[in-house]
Amino acid sequence: MSSDSVTRVSVEIAGSEISFETGRMAKQASGAVVVRQGDTMVLATATAGGKRDIDFMPLTVDVEERMYAAGKIPGSFFKREGRSGEKATLTARMIDRPLRPLFDKSWRYDTHLVAIPLSVDHVHPYDILAMNGASAALMISSVPFEGPVGAVRIGKIDGDFVVNPPEPALGAEGAEAEGAAVSDLDLIVAGTEDAILMVEAGANEISEAEILDALDIAHSEIKKICQIQRELAAKIAPQKTPVEAPQIDQALLAEIKSSHGAALDAATQVVEKLERQDAIEAVGEAILTQYAPSAPEGAGEEQVKAAAQRKAAAKQIFDYLEKTIIRERIAVEKKRPDGRSAEEIRDISIEVGVTPRTHGSALFTRGQTQALSVAALGTLKEEMRLDTLGLQTKKYYFHHYNFPPFSVGETGRLGPKRRDIGHGALAERALVAVVPSIEEFPYTVRVVSDILESNGSSSMASVCGSSLSLMDAGVPIKRPVAGIAMGLIKEGDDYIVLTDIAGVEDHLGDMDFKVAGTEQGITALQMDIKISGVTFEILRDALAQAKRARTHILGLMAEAIGGPREQLSQWAPRIQTIQIDPSQIGLLIGKGGETIRGLSEEFDSQIDVNDDGQVLIYSANGELADALLERIRMMMKEVEVGDEYTGKVVKTTTFGAFVELAKGTDGLLHISNVAPGRRVDTVEEVLARGDEIQVRVVEVDRERGRIGLRLAEDPEVAGKSVEELAAVGTGGAAGGGGGGRGGREGGERRSSGNGRPDGGRRSERGSGRPRHGAGRDR
């Protein structure tokens, strides 16, 4: 390929052009392609390094998000991108999963695939382009690759399937508010011209039949993308690195099978996982001891090399025999390693409320797989903020999955790995469709699933555990969600679809098919296929079998907890909401936040105020929340004759006491009314600043901004109707029934005269702003 040549091909998918260009950027990479759709561009590269002496294919996939692609500057302290975020990690996994099976099994060269979004238009998501670009980069590189692989996304908008729907339709925050229709399906499919290899989906309770229809539509578009990649590769004509596949020594195979085949067959039928692993390992050690002894001490280089080759040959045969024995027994004899039938689910036990001080918890055990899922509720200010290339900027429901090494009896480092992030995202996606909106349930919700034991299908155990923990926490989910992992073993024309696969069936099988959903439909789907012969008939059988298993598990979950608890945990924060007039937001907040801070401290609560006037109250218990809600309601309420308040004396004068009815609103209790039935010379004989008293409003003069009060216990007002109170009046000297705050400042009379029902402007004390009329000066 000439260093100056630029090669470009394109294909139209669902009316939109996708182009592949090479020769302009990253020319020193073995393969480099820029994929473009609209104004979204992704650079994908493929590079091979040196050969390694290992027994697996060393493939690394990285997706590097560059914030400049969306015209943004990173929000971190250093103002540069750090480690890959969740979206980049999930995209890297979606690139890896369909490509890895298409490498030669004996390829041992370090292989690195990198995808960098260069421009994002927020219409065409970059993940699909990155997947197609990685395949195209491999096709024109020196790396031997049995591709190409194409990828598309299928949505369902207003009942119709849409190929590569626009990003706003994928449920980004604010999409509905902007008028964009939101898709009920987000299905990503990758495959070759011959078969589907990978599926990743989130759905709003979609039926199995609709999923199959969507997969069929996707595969027809994938074929077009594969064809254009072949066209690009034909123009470049790369020289591929030759690979020599190691051959099995048939004579040695026959000898080992004769001497140790029966022992290996028996070892693979041990039911308990760890015991089975130990038994199989013992047979392997016996084979290596007999057929691949180590070189004697002091042996020469040639002897050491020969011993290593014997060991590699014996190990290869041992692995081949183990895989063949287990697969043939399952596919042909229909016998699973633990003795179950094809559709049999391992024993399930369910406990809820297992951790007493948490907001909701569940322990879900299926066979030797156990997940502890715990839900925590927080305020809306505790949402997950996203600094990504996407439209979504925050999440109010999220799920984290942890897989500590002790869960499989091993040692190792703790902390989330790519697999943990992927499984957590799958379980999160499974519940999103049933988690209430923040308008229905104004909490941030986090669920953590810790895998305590694992023998296959831990991600689906975390789906079941999450659903149970949310119900235990009192989160009003629409319906419970359960998950099941399906498998496939295919040997020639014989095949069997397995329900609830264990670890060994996953490792040696041909398909890992995870399905989660409610009784009404599928909410999440993840499928990885390792062979090309999986027909739509097999997929249909797997989906039908998964539905039967899901229904069974949902029944067991319903026995443990019938639905969301009616009351939240006593340890969960209580949230109350009230709607106020947006013009009253300033009154609630007060000067410099004085009022809202005072209320928060008094009631030990957090108060959030939205621009539309929605007030959210977060309190440690329901009593505090109710009291604070009532206080705010009284603050916002228009003062009317007959209203009764518990007020605080904020100032005493020669003519009476000013009583604070609510923040920013005072009324005047005339001196003649401070002690019903007797005369006092000064207010201070009865009342002092700071006293709390029960008062009733007997006069509201909106023209002059006056509020007149009487003691609630005063016989002249106790039990009187509003009409009777108006006749009673303040009972003081002329003009003595004034209200508001102006009278506190040296008797100066101020009145807003604005005719507000509450008597004029409201403001914090000491703010220097005009206050309510104070009655006549004395």
Side-chain angles (χ1 to χ4, degrees):
M1 181 178 65
S2 170
S3 61
D4 296 325
S5 65
V6 175
T7 303
R8 184 181 185 277
V9 296
S10 65
V11 63
E12 186 174 294
I13 301 295
S16 178
E17 182 187 60
I18 299 178
S19 66
F20 298 80
E21 178 186 281
T22 186
R24 184 155 66 107
M25 296 185 186
K27 294 188 287 290
Q28 294 188 43
S30 181
V33 175
V34 174
V35 191
R36 178 168 181 168
Q37 184 179 21
D39 285 339
T40 297
M41 297 171 58
V42 178
L43 169 65
T45 65
T47 311
K51 190 174 183 179
R52 299 174 60 185
D53 184 18
I54 52 178
D55 61 356
F56 61 91
M57 204 275 285
L59 172 65
T60 301
V61 181
D62 286 309
V63 174
E64 293 286 300
E65 289 190 333
R66 298 288 185 256
M67 300 304 288
Y68 61 67
K72 299 168 66 176
I73 294 175
S76 67
F77 178 79
F78 296 103
K79 297 300 178 186
R80 70 172 299 162
E81 293 83 3
R83 70 175 186 175
S84 297
E86 182 179 283
K87 172 65 176 178
T89 299
L90 296 177
T91 303
R93 282 173 54 84
M94 288 193 296
I95 293 172
D96 185 305
R97 285 158 47 199
L99 299 186
R100 188 176 290 270
L102 301 182
F103 285 87
D104 190 286
K105 298 299 181 286
S106 58
W107 181 255
R108 295 295 180 265
Y109 292 84
D110 274 322
T111 306
H112 195 191
L113 306 182
V114 179
I116 304 176
L118 304 178
S119 175
V120 173
D121 63 7
H122 289 150
V123 176
H124 306 96
Y126 79 80
D127 50 5
I128 296 297
L129 301 186
M131 295 170 71
N132 288 310
S135 172
L138 282 170
M139 290 295 292
I140 65 171
S141 74
S142 62
V143 178
F145 176 62
E146 300 172 12
V149 168
V152 296
R153 174 182 265 111
I154 303 294
K156 186 185 179 189
I157 301 175
D158 296 330
D160 297 322
F161 291 117
V162 178
V163 178
N164 289 341
E167 186 172 350
L170 301 177
E173 181 192 7
E176 290 178 317
E178 296 172 3
V182 176
S183 176
D184 287 325
L185 177 66
D186 183 5
L187 175 73
I188 296 175
V189 186
T192 64
E193 293 107 324
D194 301 323
I196 290 173
L197 296 176
M198 188 215 74
V199 176
E200 189 82 27
N204 187 12
E205 297 180 296
I206 296 291
S207 70
E208 285 75 9
E210 289 177 301
I211 291 292
L212 288 170
D213 290 342
L215 292 176
D216 192 28
I217 294 171
H219 196 220
S220 64
E221 301 298 329
I222 284 171
K223 293 176 181 178
K224 301 177 187 177
I225 298 174
C226 289
Q227 289 168 4
I228 202 65
Q229 291 184 47
R230 288 197 183 277
E231 181 182 328
L232 177 66
K235 290 183 177 182
I236 302 304
Q239 295 296 314
K240 296 292 185 177
T241 301
V243 178
E244 294 183 8
Q247 300 298 316
I248 291 180
D249 185 331
Q250 295 298 321
L252 183 59
L253 170 63
E255 187 175 346
I256 292 177
K257 186 174 182 180
S258 175
S259 61
H260 294 278
L264 184 57
D265 183 72
T268 57
Q269 296 188 64
V270 175
V271 174
E272 204 279 326
K273 172 190 169 184
L274 295 180
E275 292 179 5
R276 182 173 62 249
Q277 290 176 347
D278 290 341
I280 292 173
E281 186 178 343
V283 176
E285 290 295 331
I287 291 174
L288 293 178
T289 300
Q290 180 176 347
Y291 294 98
S294 302
E297 188 175 350
E301 183 178 343
E302 289 299 323
Q303 288 179 298
V304 172
K305 185 176 180 180
Q309 290 174 345
R310 288 194 302 269
K311 183 175 181 179
K315 179 78 164 57
Q316 181 187 20
I317 290 172
F318 167 73
D319 291 340
Y320 171 79
L321 281 176
E322 179 192 3
K323 182 175 182 179
T324 302
I325 289 171
I326 294 175
R327 287 176 58 86
E328 286 185 353
R329 187 189 304 122
I330 296 174
V332 180
E333 301 175 25
K334 312 301 182 187
K335 294 181 180 179
R336 300 175 70 172
D338 55 9
R340 286 181 291 144
S341 64
E343 293 200 41
E344 187 177 349
I345 300 172
R346 290 170 287 180
D347 291 339
I348 292 175
S349 69
I350 299 171
E351 300 176 58
V352 295
V354 295
T355 51
R357 292 297 291 263
T358 60
H359 301 160
S361 60
L363 186 66
F364 182 89
T365 307
R366 182 197 289 133
Q368 292 178 299
T369 297
Q370 185 179 71
L372 174 65
S373 295
V374 180
L377 309 182
T379 71
L380 294 182
K381 286 190 174 181
E382 295 176 274
E383 82 280 13
M384 179 187 289
R385 299 183 182 181
L386 305 176
D387 188 20
T388 69
L389 293 177
L391 291 172
Q392 189 175 14
T393 59
K394 59 186 69 173
K395 289 198 297 186
Y396 295 100
Y397 166 70
F398 43 96
H399 176 271
H400 291 144
Y401 168 102
N402 298 309
F403 192 88
F406 66 73
S407 65
V408 288
E410 297 177 357
T411 61
R413 71 176 183 87
L414 296 172
K417 307 172 185 64
R418 285 189 171 190
R419 176 182 177 277
D420 298 4
I421 294 171
H423 281 12
L426 175 62
E428 178 180 311
R429 195 180 305 118
L431 272 295
V432 164
V434 299
V435 171
S437 67
I438 57 173
E439 288 75 25
E440 299 169 312
F441 189 69
Y443 287 86
T444 294
V445 181
R446 179 188 185 226
V447 179
V448 178
S449 291
D450 286 309
I451 305 305
L452 307 183
E453 290 184 65
S454 180
N455 185 16
S457 192
S458 61
S459 63
M460 294 297 95
S462 68
V463 169
C464 300
S466 295
S467 183
L468 292 161
S469 68
L470 288 173
M471 290 191 289
D472 185 50
V475 178
I477 60 174
K478 297 176 184 176
R479 278 170 289 279
V481 177
I484 191 72
M486 311 297 295
L488 172 72
I489 304 289
K490 190 173 187 296
E491 286 289 329
D493 294 331
D494 294 308
Y495 77 88
I496 183 171
V497 175
L498 304 174
T499 296
D500 182 26
I501 56 174
V504 65
E505 295 166 333
D506 182 11
H507 175 64
L508 299 178
D510 298 318
M511 178 178 74
D512 179 14
F513 195 1
K514 301 180 179 76
V515 187
T518 68
E519 60 183 7
Q520 297 193 8
I522 292 171
T523 57
L525 194 69
Q526 187 180 86
M527 180 173 67
D528 292 292
I529 300 176
K530 306 171 188 177
I531 59 175
S532 59
V534 179
T535 64
F536 273 86
E537 180 182 357
I538 293 176
L539 294 179
R540 186 178 296 108
D541 290 345
L543 283 169
Q545 203 164 308
K547 183 177 182 180
R548 291 193 292 271
R550 191 172 77 239
T551 302
H552 170 72
I553 296 170
L554 286 170
L556 296 178
M557 291 167 58
E559 293 176 7
I561 180 169
R565 299 198 188 280
E566 295 183 0
Q567 297 293 327
L568 301 182
S569 162
Q570 62 174 315
W571 311 112
R574 293 302 193 272
I575 297 181
Q576 298 272 22
T577 63
I578 184 174
Q579 191 71 33
I580 66 173
D581 191 315
S583 65
Q584 294 179 308
I585 292 176
L587 168 65
L588 177 59
I589 294 175
K591 180 185 178 184
E594 177 187 8
T595 304
I596 199 168
R597 280 198 305 271
L599 290 171
S600 296
E601 293 172 2
E602 181 180 350
F603 292 93
D604 191 22
S605 303
Q606 176 182 322
I607 306 172
D608 292 345
V609 185
N610 296 328
D611 291 340
D612 62 356
Q614 184 188 41
V615 181
L616 295 98
I617 298 168
Y618 305 88
S619 301
N621 58 62
E623 292 182 3
L624 288 173
D626 291 341
L628 177 53
L629 188 70
E630 183 61 26
R631 175 70 65 85
I632 293 175
R633 186 178 287 115
M634 295 305 294
M635 285 177 59
M636 301 298 110
K637 182 182 181 298
E638 297 177 352
V639 179
E640 300 287 351
V641 172
D643 290 345
E644 189 168 324
Y645 292 88
T646 299
K648 181 183 293 186
V649 176
V650 292
K651 184 177 177 64
T652 58
T653 68
T654 56
F655 52 85
F658 286 96
V659 181
E660 183 181 60
L661 307 180
K663 290 290 184 181
T665 302
D666 301 339
L668 178 63
L669 179 63
H670 193 264
I671 188 173
S672 60
N673 300 319
V674 298
R678 64 188 179 93
R679 179 181 178 83
V680 296
D681 295 324
T682 63
V683 174
E684 289 77 6
E685 292 179 30
V686 181
L687 299 174
R689 184 173 180 177
D691 288 349
E692 288 193 353
I693 55 175
Q694 286 286 122
V695 294
R696 291 193 75 184
V697 178
V698 296
E699 177 186 3
V700 177
D701 187 340
R702 306 192 192 285
E703 292 295 325
R704 303 174 64 187
R706 295 155 54 103
I707 300 173
L709 307 174
R710 297 284 289 266
L711 290 173
E713 63 188 27
D714 191 329
E716 293 190 29
V717 299
K720 297 290 178 62
S721 66
V722 173
E723 292 76 12
E724 291 172 327
L725 288 175
V728 170
T730 60
R741 291 186 174 171
R744 297 189 209 166
E745 310 299 329
E748 179 185 1
R749 174 179 170 185
R750 298 180 181 177
S751 174
S752 63
N754 61 3
R756 282 176 56 106
D758 57 6
R761 297 187 180 94
R762 289 171 167 154
S763 62
E764 288 300 299
R765 292 193 296 275
S767 66
R769 297 180 180 178
R771 294 170 168 80
H772 296 267
R776 295 186 180 180
D777 300 336
R778 298 256 175 168

